[in-house]
Amino acid sequence: MSVVIETTLGDLTVDLFTDERPIACLNFIKLCQLKYYNYNLFHTVQQGFIAQTGDPSGLGNGGSSVWGVVEGIQKRFFEAEYLPKIYHSSAGMLSLVSAGKNLVGSQFFFTLGENLTSLDGNHCVIGEVVEGHEVLRKLNDAIVDEDFRPYQDIRITHTVVLEDPFPNPRGFQVPSRSPSPSAERLQNGRIAADEDIDETNGKTMEEMQEMLAEREAKARATILEIVGDLPDAEMAPPENVLFVCKLNPVTTDDDLEIIFSRFGVVKGCEVIRDRKTGDSLQYAFVEFEDQKSCEAAYFKMDNVLIDDRRIHVDFSQSVSKVTWRGKGRGVVGDGSQLDFNNLRESNGKKHENKPRMREHEDRRGQGDRRIDRNRNDEQKRVITSEERRKAREQRHKEQREREDRGRRNNTQRSRSRETNGRHNERYERRRSRSNDRNVDRRRPISPYRGSRYSPERRRGEHQRDGSVDRHRRTPTNSQSDRRQAERKYKAKESENVSRDRKRVAVKEERASKKKSKRAKSSSSESSDSSDDSESSSTDSSDESSSDERSKRKKHSKSKQRKSKTKRKHKSKKKHKK
């Protein structure tokens, strides 16, 4: 069973508890069908508590039940049901206002907070809002005076009953159309709902600039709330905390605490450090006991020289450690979370009726006790100077351990680099020695050897093979692979050395044979005459121009013939003598 209540702020859809509260629901439905609530004013709106209406006069002391409208003023009130119990546990509950002794009439209210235990048992809950929570939020944000009366009128414009399960009372007649607003219903209004309000009327230029600055600040806070930087746009940073930046990395918490303590009692001082390295990020937060000391430090400490650095001081804008209790209402305690973003149970507000005043006083006493409990919890959470000193020593100890660990790692890396460098130097030295040995033992180029077996080609092939083998070797990090590679390299070097030694031995044998032959030929030529020497010199010059190998053969044959002829000639001369 539902009823739609149309207001100047929007529409509300209410589900009624017809099974639990049949008589009270019958009264409410029949009044809606009579259009009794049309143009009724919300005469009381208490933020986080209730929004009350149902009085045609708009004063808050009138109204009648459906039986009083049909049968007469003597039946203005009736006794409503109170069993089974239904509690005001959440925002959006619809209750009929009790005038005392369980007597109710036409006035009702919507709850704007949760767990309103002071209302339980005194007022009759008949329904709950299922659609239109944004309208309740607007009601909660309405601007009111000291008597909780809105400055701009908020009215019910129309009511629609979706289903009526109850029979009509005797003499009840449904009007054919909605009645026009009477002068009685409109006389107690202030500013009409559709009337434009000029907020700048009667204000000076400074006041208008201040108003624009507040709007811009609120717009920026709303943007920060949308992107997730602020939990709530109405959250205000603490006014007793300073932000200090441009610090020297060597400046510690104790240094700042000693410097700023001359302005007042310092509750806490923290230099923000890197989580991993523990190094200072060169900014800090200083919290004072009172706001006056904080303001004095703000005016005196900006651009002051600390540890050879000019610091900058400003009021803290951080709200990471702040629990929201409303703008400018402090930073201690946890605000009760409601079904809506801005709804909160109000504390310390008076009610119009005397029975509700006593209930409100009880509720205010509960709120004061809750604040005292939060203050005690805060005092328990305050860290003493001894605990802060121990925590600082522990943090410094961990930082020194990290530095020692990093130093050890650096020394190990440098040692490994040195060993690798020595190994590389040995390897390069051996390689240079082998190259020098190969250069010294290089075979001279012979014109009788073909290009296929030339020393240059052999050396190129040898280098190419070596480069291929070097490229084929895959780098390994284990010691076994490194040793195996060194063994292969040493074996290859030994093979190259043995090969070079064989070549050198062959060269030496050939050179000795040539020397012996030359010695024999020179001994035979020593006994020849000068003419023969001239002819031999000419012959040798001619032989050098022709093919060396053929000349050598012919030269040797000619020398042999001459030697034979000379020997014969000498032997003949001896016989003649």
Side-chain angles (χ1 to χ4, degrees), residues 362-540:
D362 296 338
R363 186 164 53 82
R364 183 172 59 184
Q366 294 175 2
D368 294 338
R369 286 193 294 273
R370 185 162 57 251
I371 292 173
D372 294 339
R373 199 181 307 117
N374 291 331
R375 287 176 180 170
N376 294 332
D377 294 341
E378 185 199 10
Q379 292 175 359
K380 292 178 183 177
R381 287 195 298 268
V382 172
I383 301 174
T384 62
S385 60
E386 185 67 22
E387 293 176 352
R388 193 162 55 246
R389 185 180 61 79
K390 290 180 180 179
R392 194 183 307 112
E393 290 177 356
Q394 181 68 19
R395 187 171 62 249
H396 292 334
K397 184 179 179 181
E398 292 176 357
Q399 184 177 359
R400 284 194 296 272
E401 289 177 357
R402 283 193 296 269
E403 290 176 355
D404 295 340
R405 209 178 301 122
R407 222 176 281 117
R408 271 188 249 109
N409 294 335
N410 292 332
T411 53
Q412 290 178 0
R413 291 195 198 97
S414 62
R415 287 174 184 172
S416 63
R417 288 196 199 98
E418 288 177 0
T419 53
N420 292 334
R422 291 196 203 101
H423 179 72
N424 294 334
E425 287 176 1
R426 290 173 189 164
Y427 177 76
E428 293 294 335
R429 206 179 297 122
R430 290 173 185 170
R431 189 173 178 184
S432 62
R433 286 176 186 173
S434 63
N435 292 336
D436 295 340
R437 199 179 298 120
N438 292 335
V439 170
D440 295 339
R441 297 173 183 177
R442 194 175 295 165
R443 181 178 296 176
I445 301 173
S446 175
Y448 300 105
R449 294 185 176 272
S451 60
R452 177 178 176 83
Y453 301 100
S454 62
E456 288 82 4
R457 180 161 182 174
R458 284 204 301 276
R459 279 197 301 276
E461 291 177 355
H462 177 66
Q463 291 176 0
R464 202 181 307 115
D465 296 338
S467 63
V468 170
D469 293 339
R470 277 198 305 277
H471 288 302
R472 285 178 182 171
R473 285 199 299 270
T474 56
T476 57
N477 294 326
S478 62
Q479 293 182 358
S480 60
D481 296 342
R482 198 179 295 116
R483 289 172 184 170
Q484 189 175 0
E486 288 178 359
R487 290 195 198 99
K488 289 181 180 180
Y489 175 73
K490 289 178 181 178
K492 202 164 193 179
E493 289 290 327
S494 61
E495 289 178 1
N496 294 335
V497 171
S498 61
R499 197 182 299 116
D500 294 336
R501 286 177 181 174
K502 288 179 182 179
R503 290 175 184 168
V504 171
V506 172
K507 287 180 181 180
E508 289 177 354
E509 288 177 0
R510 290 177 180 174
S512 61
K513 288 180 181 179
K514 288 180 179 180
K515 285 180 181 179
S516 61
K517 289 181 180 180
R518 288 174 182 171
K520 288 178 181 179
S521 61
S522 61
S523 62
S524 61
E525 288 175 356
S526 61
S527 60
D528 292 341
S529 61
S530 61
D531 296 334
D532 296 333
S533 62
E534 290 177 1
S535 63
S536 63
S537 62
T538 54
D539 293 336
S540 61

Side-chain angles (χ1 to χ4, degrees), residues 182-443:
S182 61
E184 180 187 0
R185 298 197 177 193
L186 299 177
Q187 67 180 354
N188 291 318
R190 291 182 171 179
I191 302 174
D194 55 352
E195 185 178 348
D196 293 332
I197 300 175
D198 187 7
E199 297 181 355
T200 61
N201 188 16
K203 291 186 178 181
T204 63
M205 184 63 67
E206 294 180 356
E207 291 176 346
M208 287 192 292
Q209 289 179 355
E210 185 178 355
M211 183 178 64
L212 291 175
E214 288 180 357
R215 286 183 179 179
E216 290 177 359
K218 189 173 182 180
R220 287 194 295 268
T222 305
I223 293 172
L224 292 176
E225 180 185 3
I226 292 171
V227 300
D229 286 353
L230 280 179
D232 194 277
E234 297 295 327
M235 179 175 287
E239 297 179 351
N240 62 333
V241 180
L242 287 180
F243 170 73
V244 185
C245 63
K246 297 183 180 180
L247 293 172
N248 195 312
V250 301
T251 305
T252 61
D253 304 342
D254 293 338
D255 300 337
L256 290 179
E257 186 173 357
I258 292 170
I259 293 170
F260 281 88
S261 60
R262 67 189 183 95
F263 298 100
V265 179
V266 177
K267 292 177 63 177
C269 181
E270 183 181 4
V271 175
I272 308 302
R273 299 181 178 275
D274 188 84
R275 292 183 179 179
K276 294 182 178 180
T277 62
D279 298 334
S280 173
L281 297 180
Q282 302 178 21
Y283 69 93
F285 293 93
V286 182
E287 183 179 2
F288 287 90
E289 187 76 28
D290 54 354
Q291 183 180 351
K292 187 176 180 181
S293 302
C294 183
E295 291 177 355
Y298 168 73
F299 288 114
K300 295 288 185 179
M301 291 302 295
D302 191 26
N303 204 29
V304 172
L305 191 68
I306 297 179
D307 292 334
D308 298 332
R309 293 287 182 91
R310 294 283 180 183
I311 66 170
H312 174 66
V313 179
D314 199 353
F315 287 101
S316 173
Q317 300 298 318
S318 174
V319 293
S320 60
K321 296 183 180 180
V322 177
T323 302
W324 183 61
R325 294 181 58 201
K327 188 171 183 179
R329 300 190 182 184
V331 297
V332 182
D334 298 326
S336 57
Q337 298 296 326
L338 310 179
D339 290 347
F340 311 108
N341 294 332
N342 298 329
L343 301 186
R344 180 177 52 80
E345 184 175 356
S346 62
N347 295 321
K349 294 181 179 180
K350 63 180 182 179
H351 292 227
E352 188 176 13
N353 297 330
K354 291 183 179 180
R356 283 184 289 171
M357 177 68 76
R358 288 194 296 271
E359 296 165 2
H360 178 66
E361 289 176 355
D362 296 338
R363 186 164 53 82
R364 183 172 59 184
Q366 294 175 2
D368 294 338
R369 286 193 294 273
R370 185 162 57 251
I371 292 173
D372 294 339
R373 199 181 307 117
N374 291 331
R375 287 176 180 170
N376 294 332
D377 294 341
E378 185 199 10
Q379 292 175 359
K380 292 178 183 177
R381 287 195 298 268
V382 172
I383 301 174
T384 62
S385 60
E386 185 67 22
E387 293 176 352
R388 193 162 55 246
R389 185 180 61 79
K390 290 180 180 179
R392 194 183 307 112
E393 290 177 356
Q394 181 68 19
R395 187 171 62 249
H396 292 334
K397 184 179 179 181
E398 292 176 357
Q399 184 177 359
R400 284 194 296 272
E401 289 177 357
R402 283 193 296 269
E403 290 176 355
D404 295 340
R405 209 178 301 122
R407 222 176 281 117
R408 271 188 249 109
N409 294 335
N410 292 332
T411 53
Q412 290 178 0
R413 291 195 198 97
S414 62
R415 287 174 184 172
S416 63
R417 288 196 199 98
E418 288 177 0
T419 53
N420 292 334
R422 291 196 203 101
H423 179 72
N424 294 334
E425 287 176 1
R426 290 173 189 164
Y427 177 76
E428 293 294 335
R429 206 179 297 122
R430 290 173 185 170
R431 189 173 178 184
S432 62
R433 286 176 186 173
S434 63
N435 292 336
D436 295 340
R437 199 179 298 120
N438 292 335
V439 170
D440 295 339
R441 297 173 183 177
R442 194 175 295 165
R443 181 178 296 176

